């Protein structure tokens, strides 16, 4: 359950336009010029490479690889590498831009990037994937770098692939450069606390929002959709902070107990049941749809995109939604949710705990010192809390919902940094 940093793409025809359209309203409120809008929209660098790889049967196949640096205005670009048969330049461009905004919201000194290789890793042997990743790294030697562009895992890649990149890059440089990627195995310079970082950040954001709404965690209830990396850590930590988690769910369905679910028991059950909650007896079965409309204080969608739409938004009774997943609320539902007065802590803020601890991994690699888990957690919590407060204050100032406020914070930061740095 390693940390990956995927993002939702709504429009397969034109992912970049679709992604940027969310920023239009924010850009208007910040009052940026058309020129600045164009600067923010056009990626700084786009690289396409052909990657010949010897397959296990001796034949040579050529794969296409991409790397897009959307922005390096705030610092070195940061973003994952995905292996997926459908990946293409448009999608990578949109995902790279998404990373720029996400880092800007939590105020970490990174620009946004993304990479991809069009391939199907499920049909390839470990040796074939290794040769592909090494070939891709060699092709990107003048793109990657701890001060230039720092890849991380995304769909189809994990710590194993990151280790290969470190090795290949280090060989080329004649020295060990583990800060060239994040999401590495712990022994190779990975950070403690990274696995649980996103769920932890979701919890910090939820507690901060509860505080603003004067809700006492010990008298509050939560329902959490998705019991994987993000959902189960959020459930454990919310439970630890006194919140009664009355419902959880995964792909097998929902589980409800009005007295609160024993989360430790649910995690143990899932771990001994091939990762599934199916058959969990500590709660009564409900559907995933029913979970979304429970009368709880906090709803955490932490499974997949587009689960809250204009079809079901009206039935939501939660006082707040904290988006653990990327893009769980469709744009068409926003208006209904806002009209109902439900506070939404948007994905770009709520699930940024993962990218924050990636940043810490890079910092630790560069200072050559390993932080304790406690230090990682305390610093990550502070970044998440500060980011929440910044977005909340912006939402009050502009009198806009938190989602729009998060975009305003991000755009404003990148645009004003650009103004200071200047251009030709
Ligand atoms: P995961 O694969 O570990 O867990 C996904 C969970 O959702 C599983 O319990 C699965 O059974 C459940 N699920 C899948 N389809 C479902 C459905 N239709 N209804 C109900 N449950 C369903 O994934 P994850 O890493 O926890 O990621 C979850 C979401 O959070 C994704 O949107 C991901 O993009 C986003 N996210 C994850 C991270 C991270 O650090 N892992 C960071 C940022 C954003």
């Amino acid at each position: 359950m390693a940390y990956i940093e995927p993002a939702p793409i709504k429009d397969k025809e034109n992912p970049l336009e679709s992604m940027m359209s969310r920023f239009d309203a924010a850009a208007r409120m910040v009052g940026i010029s058309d020129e600045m809008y164009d600067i923010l929209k056009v990626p700084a660098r786009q690289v396409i490479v052909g990657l010949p790889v010897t397959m296990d049967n001796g034949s040579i196949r050529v794969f296409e690889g991409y790397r897009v640096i959307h922005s390096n205005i705030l610092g070195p670009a940061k973003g994952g590498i995905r292996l997926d048969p459908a990946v293409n330049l448009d999608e990578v461009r949109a995902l790279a831009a998404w990373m720029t905004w996400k880092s800007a919201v939590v105020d970490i000194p990174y620009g946004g990037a993304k990479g991809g290789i069009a391939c199907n890793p499920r049909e390839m042997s470990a040796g074939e994937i290794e040769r592909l990743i090494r070939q891709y790294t060699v092709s990107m030697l003048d793109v990657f770098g701890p001060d230039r562009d720092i890849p991380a895992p995304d769909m189809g890649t994990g710590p194993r692939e990151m280790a290969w990149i470190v090795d290949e890059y280090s060989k080329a440089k004649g020295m060990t450069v583990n800060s060239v990627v994040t999401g590495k195995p712990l022994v190779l310079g990975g950070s403690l606390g990274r696995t649980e970082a996103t769920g932890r950040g979701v919890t910090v954001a939820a507690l901060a929002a509860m505080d603003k709404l004067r809700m006492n965690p010990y008298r509050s209830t939560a329902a959490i959709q998705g019991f994987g990396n993000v959902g189960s850590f959020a459930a454990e930590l919310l439970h630890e902070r006194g919140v009664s988690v009355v419902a959880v769910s995964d792909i097998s369905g929902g589980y409800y107990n009005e007295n609160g679910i024993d989360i430790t028991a649910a995690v143990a059950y899932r771990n001994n049941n091939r990762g599934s909650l199916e058959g969990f007896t500590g709660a009564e079965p409900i559907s995933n749809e029913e979970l979304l409309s429970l009368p709880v204080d906090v709803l955490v969608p932490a499974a997949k995109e587009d689960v809250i739409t204009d079809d079901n938004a009206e039935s939501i009774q939660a006082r707040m939604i904290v988006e653990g997943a990327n893009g769980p609320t469709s744009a068409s539902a926003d208006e209904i949710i806002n009209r109902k007065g439900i506070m939404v802590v948007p994905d770009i803020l709520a699930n940024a705990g993962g990218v924050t601890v990636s940043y810490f991994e890079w910092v630790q690699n560069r200072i050559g010192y390993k932080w304790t888990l406690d230090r990682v957690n305390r610093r990550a919590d502070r970044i998440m809390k500060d980011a929440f407060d910044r977005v909340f204050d912006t939402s009050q100032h502009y009198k806009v919902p938190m989602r729009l406020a998060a975009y305003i914070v991000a755009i404003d930061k990148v645009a004003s940094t650009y103004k200071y740095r200047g251009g030709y």
Side-chain angles (χ1 to χ4, degrees):
M1 291 200 300
Y3 163 77
I4 57 170
E5 189 51 70
I9 296 295
K10 307 282 177 189
D11 178 358
K12 284 281 170 199
E13 294 296 302
N14 199 332
L16 186 63
E17 288 293 338
S18 151
M19 202 283 310
M20 287 300 292
S21 71
R22 296 143 181 245
F23 291 88
D24 285 356
R28 273 198 303 275
M29 296 211 92
V30 179
I32 66 168
S33 63
D34 289 350
E35 286 96 337
M36 183 59 78
Y37 186 84
D38 285 344
I39 292 168
L40 298 183
K41 186 171 161 181
V42 178
R45 189 171 184 188
Q46 307 179 59
V47 182
I48 305 178
V49 289
L51 303 167
V53 172
T54 305
M55 307 305 278
D56 289 346
N57 66 8
S59 67
I60 293 178
R61 256 185 79 185
V62 184
F63 297 89
E64 193 157 274
Y66 313 94
R67 187 72 185 170
V68 173
I69 293 179
H70 168 257
S71 166
N72 46 16
I73 292 171
L74 297 182
K78 179 97 192 79
I81 296 169
R82 60 172 48 179
L83 306 184
D84 181 43
V87 80
N88 59 53
L89 188 63
D90 256 357
E91 179 179 296
V92 175
R93 282 204 297 214
L95 294 166
W98 174 270
M99 286 303 295
T100 302
W101 313 127
K102 197 163 203 166
S103 296
V105 167
V106 281
D107 200 19
I108 56 181
Y110 281 152
K114 207 74 177 188
I117 307 175
C119 69
N120 188 346
R122 280 172 299 279
E123 289 174 358
M124 296 168 71
S125 70
E128 288 169 342
I129 295 174
E130 177 173 354
R131 291 191 289 281
L132 178 61
I133 292 289
R134 287 186 185 277
Q135 177 69 266
Y136 178 73
T137 308
V138 168
S139 305
M140 296 292 170
L141 279 178
D142 65 333
V143 179
F144 295 165
D147 289 308
R148 285 196 301 249
D149 176 24
I150 310 143
D154 193 277
M155 253 162 67
T157 58
R160 181 182 72 163
E161 286 72 18
M162 296 306 112
W164 291 330
I165 296 176
V166 168
D167 185 62
E168 203 60 40
Y169 187 85
S170 298
K171 274 181 195 151
K173 299 291 167 188
M175 59 186 167
T176 298
V177 192
N178 55 9
S179 53
V180 70
V181 296
T182 62
K184 298 178 287 292
L186 264 183
V187 288
L188 205 66
S191 179
L192 291 169
R194 194 166 188 284
T195 309
E196 60 272 39
T198 304
R200 191 177 173 91
V202 166
T203 305
V204 172
L207 291 169
M210 290 165 85
D211 190 49
K212 294 291 181 201
L213 298 187
R214 299 190 194 292
M215 288 158 62
N216 180 346
Y218 286 88
R219 290 209 205 101
S220 302
T221 55
I224 299 177
Q225 183 185 58
F227 209 62
N229 176 285
V230 180
S232 67
F233 279 116
E236 273 186 302
L237 293 165
L238 281 169
H239 175 69
E240 212 176 281
R241 301 297 290 268
V243 177
S244 174
V245 180
V246 294
V248 295
S249 76
D250 67 6
I251 191 86
S252 72
Y255 303 85
Y256 174 70
N257 182 339
E258 64 174 339
N259 299 316
I261 290 175
D262 180 343
I263 298 298
T264 314
V267 169
Y269 183 88
R270 178 204 62 187
N271 293 348
N272 292 321
N273 194 36
R274 295 184 317 280
S276 170
L277 284 171
E278 184 148 29
F280 177 62
T281 50
E284 62 184 81
I286 55 170
S287 69
N288 259 295
E289 202 50 43
E290 284 169 315
L291 178 141
L292 293 174
S293 54
L294 286 172
V296 288
D297 297 301
V298 184
L299 175 63
V300 180
K304 57 194 277 284
E305 71 284 353
D306 278 340
V307 291
I308 299 170
T309 65
D310 50 355
D311 284 339
N312 62 4
E314 208 61 72
S315 69
I316 289 184
Q317 300 186 62
R319 289 181 66 189
M320 74 171 71
I321 298 171
V322 184
E323 296 184 336
N326 278 320
T329 311
S330 72
S332 60
D334 273 353
E335 205 183 297
I336 304 169
I337 304 269
N338 293 340
R339 178 169 37 78
K340 287 172 69 98
I342 300 169
M343 182 196 247
V344 176
V345 186
D347 48 8
I348 198 171
L349 167 66
N351 69 32
V355 74
T356 301
V357 176
S358 289
Y359 162 58
F360 289 169
E361 179 177 332
W362 176 81
V363 171
Q364 291 170 76
N365 296 158
R366 296 182 62 123
I367 58 177
Y369 189 75
K370 230 173 170 36
W371 294 350
T372 60
L373 178 61
D374 186 51
R375 172 165 286 198
V376 169
N377 286 342
R378 267 188 291 114
R379 292 187 168 177
D381 290 357
R382 194 171 68 224
I383 285 191
M384 287 302 295
K385 175 71 170 54
D386 288 352
F388 178 91
D389 287 344
R390 217 166 21 250
V391 172
F392 184 82
D393 291 349
T394 304
S395 84
Q396 301 279 298
H397 177 79
Y398 285 97
K399 298 190 174 38
V400 295
M402 291 280 284
R403 189 185 307 283
L404 188 52
Y407 295 162
I408 291 174
V409 167
I411 285 195
D412 189 38
K413 178 157 190 223
V414 181
S416 52
T417 308
Y418 185 86
K419 273 189 217 143
Y420 275 114
R421 289 186 59 162
Y424 295 107

